[in-house]
Amino acid sequence: MPSTTIETPPEADVSLSHGLKQRHLSMIALGGVIGAGLFVGSGAGIAAAGPSIVVAYALSGVLVMLVMRMLGEMSAAYPSSGSFSAHAERAIGPWAGFTAGWSFWVLLCTAVGLEGIGAAKIVSGWLPGTPEWAWVALFMVVFCGTNLAAVKNFGEFEFWFAALKVGAITLFLALGVLAVVGVLPGTDSPGASNLTDFLPNGGEGLVIGLLASVFAYGGLETVTIAAAESEDPVRGVASAVRTAMWRIALFYIGSMAVIVTLVPWDSKAVVEKGPYVAALDHLGIPGAGQLMNVVVLVALLSAMNANIYGASRIAYSLVERGQGPKALGKVSSGVPRTAVLVSSVFGFGCVLLSYWRPDDVFSWLLNMIGAVILVVWIFIAVSQLRLRRRLERETPEKLVVRMWAFPALTWVALAGMAAIFVLMAREPGTRVQLYSTGGMTLALAAVGYAWQRARARR
């Protein structure tokens, strides 16, 4: 392919405001690690893998750290609200940017709906008789409104959401460690009694736990999207990426280790109440379980806010690069308001589908986005392999963040992603997701390639 079709795409953030301060970006990066997947989805992983869930989170955590390092290298060199989509276009071609961008947009919009449903279930549990759809609608209106206003409003919401999440999980870890070592008043140390059956369901259980942990890490990419609207994009991305390792190790792997040490892995409460609530209830701390439900609610609302933001910026970036309906690219007061509205409406449409067609259309949609994050990671790795050589040759001064042991660890990450695809194909519960996501990816790639050829002819 001629270099003219894969060289530098137009920057996607020239019309956006730069209203995010460094404190916003730092807290978005910190709080983005603590997602709804960690609080809500980790229970199923523990039930399948038992104490070996710690190994599963450690393995997937290493992969995520490598992906974030690669993405950070490219985003510090080429800050853009299109993030990995713009990098894929620059490195591979317009069809790659189109495929990565629109598949991620569908993922984020659908996730907005799922998080709204989860948040509504919590609130309707506190207020019996109130309809869940009404709470979802309220949350949608609030966060759509937040994102329609100046980007600093989004930053402020995320700053305080993240501060609450970080404070809560830090307190949880402190209480958990005190209980494990036997110095928390009113509790006895469980020692290693809950860790003796380390692989209760064998390798198959570990595989299920590994797959659950991979998807719990989704959402870390938002910080590289938000960086394009910050006061200092390069410094913001570099700081976020360089601290990713200890954040993942502390919040994910550390909390999993505390939970499986305190609570028997086969306790029904781990799945029914969630692992964090189950652990606090097990410690007998009055009201702690309900307090953690508040934190879970905040995590879900934070994810809704961040995903509406990310979806609107990805859509705007694609349109600015000529890869979507021009109407989505309209910017007012530094905000792509049409993209925000369309992303929110799509998310609410997913909620309606969950009520109207839960067994066919909605389940098909969930399967279709099941492995999108892995597809995005592959585009990130391949893009970094190609762009790193170009940066070293043409503009080495832009390599503010460098991938470790390049290119060896990039290839290791790609091998890890390929291994996860193989594991998904072997598991009946994830095989349908793999094939559905593959079908959507191929369809988007075909459309993107046809568009690329048509533009080349013009």
Side-chain angles (χ1 to χ4, degrees):
M1 186 181 298
S3 61
T4 54
T5 59
I6 63 170
E7 200 52 47
T8 306
E11 286 303 316
D13 49 8
V14 291
S15 298
L16 299 179
S17 68
H18 291 265
L20 291 178
K21 299 183 182 298
Q22 187 58 38
R23 68 180 180 89
H24 293 147
L25 206 61
S26 298
M27 196 57 82
I28 288 170
L30 192 60
V33 178
I34 311 168
L38 176 63
F39 287 120
V40 181
S42 53
I46 294 172
S52 67
I53 193 68
V54 178
V55 176
Y57 269 89
L59 289 173
S60 54
V62 169
L63 178 59
V64 172
M65 282 188 267
L66 296 179
V67 170
M68 285 301 294
R69 191 76 185 187
M70 289 184 273
L71 183 56
E73 178 183 285
M74 295 184 290
S75 296
Y78 305 110
S80 169
S81 59
S83 187
F84 52 82
S85 172
H87 306 327
E89 178 174 346
R90 180 178 278 111
I92 306 168
W95 71 268
F98 181 96
T99 305
W102 284 116
S103 60
F104 195 68
W105 181 82
V106 173
L107 169 65
L108 290 183
C109 292
T110 307
V112 167
L114 293 175
E115 287 143 1
I117 293 170
K121 287 184 183 298
I122 293 175
V123 178
S124 61
W126 293 336
L127 300 170
T130 56
E132 291 181 6
W133 67 266
W135 288 112
V136 177
L138 175 63
F139 299 147
M140 283 289 183
V141 168
V142 169
F143 294 120
C144 181
T146 300
N147 280 278
L148 286 172
V151 70
K152 67 179 181 181
N153 288 0
F154 160 77
E156 282 298 319
F157 262 91
E158 280 306 293
F159 179 86
W160 294 109
F161 277 155
L164 180 57
K165 289 189 293 183
V166 170
I169 202 167
T170 302
L171 180 60
F172 171 83
L173 286 170
L175 291 173
V177 170
L178 291 175
V180 168
V181 299
V183 297
L184 186 70
T187 61
D188 296 322
S189 171
S193 60
N194 293 324
L195 305 177
T196 52
D197 195 3
F198 194 73
L199 271 170
N201 295 312
E204 184 177 348
L206 178 60
V207 167
I208 295 172
L210 178 63
L211 295 176
S213 65
V214 165
F215 300 117
Y217 284 110
L220 295 175
E221 304 81 8
T222 302
V223 69
T224 60
I225 297 172
E229 293 183 78
S230 67
E231 298 171 325
D232 189 346
V234 175
R235 184 166 73 95
V237 168
S239 175
V241 169
R242 285 170 180 156
T243 58
M245 183 178 295
W246 72 262
R247 288 184 278 121
I248 289 172
L250 177 65
F251 293 136
Y252 276 85
I253 303 169
S255 59
M256 287 299 106
V258 166
I259 289 167
V260 296
T261 303
L262 289 176
V263 185
W265 67 270
D266 55 353
S267 169
K268 291 182 179 179
V270 169
V271 176
E272 292 173 356
K273 294 183 178 180
Y276 291 84
V277 175
L280 290 173
D281 283 347
H282 184 76
L283 294 179
I285 300 174
Q290 277 303 319
L291 183 60
M292 186 54 70
N293 274 330
V294 174
V295 176
V296 173
L297 175 64
V298 168
L300 289 165
L301 297 179
S302 171
M304 284 184 73
N305 191 34
N307 287 340
I308 291 174
Y309 171 83
S312 65
R313 269 43 176 195
I314 284 286
Y316 168 77
S317 172
L318 287 161
V319 171
E320 282 293 289
R321 302 189 329 256
Q323 298 180 358
K326 289 184 179 180
L328 292 178
K330 186 177 180 181
V331 175
S332 177
S333 301
V335 177
R337 288 178 173 162
T338 306
V340 169
L341 285 170
V342 171
S343 300
S344 300
V345 169
F346 189 101
F348 192 65
C350 295
V351 175
L352 296 178
L353 285 176
S354 73
Y355 291 113
W356 295 338
R357 305 296 294 270
D359 299 323
D360 45 21
V361 179
F362 186 64
S363 61
W364 170 79
L365 183 63
L366 292 184
N367 285 327
M368 194 172 67
I369 64 167
V372 164
I373 197 66
L374 284 171
V375 173
V376 168
W377 289 355
I378 287 174
F379 275 117
I380 290 171
V382 175
S383 299
Q384 192 266 340
L385 275 175
R386 303 193 69 176
L387 285 180
R388 173 64 174 267
R389 297 301 189 196
R390 191 183 303 175
L391 283 165
E392 289 176 333
R393 185 175 62 251
E394 298 173 1
T395 52
E397 69 278 4
K398 288 187 174 183
L399 280 170
V400 179
V401 178
R402 289 176 179 263
M403 177 61 181
W404 305 298
F406 177 82
L409 285 183
T410 302
W411 285 109
V412 168
L414 280 168
M417 296 171 207
I420 292 172
F421 276 130
V422 171
L423 293 175
M424 288 186 73
R426 290 182 55 190
E427 292 295 324
T430 54
R431 191 178 299 142
V432 176
Q433 293 180 10
L434 178 63
Y435 296 156
S436 299
T437 300
M440 181 183 73
T441 303
L442 290 174
L444 286 173
V447 173
Y449 185 71
W451 167 85
Q452 177 180 315
R453 292 291 300 271
R455 190 174 74 165
R457 285 195 296 270
R458 291 196 300 270

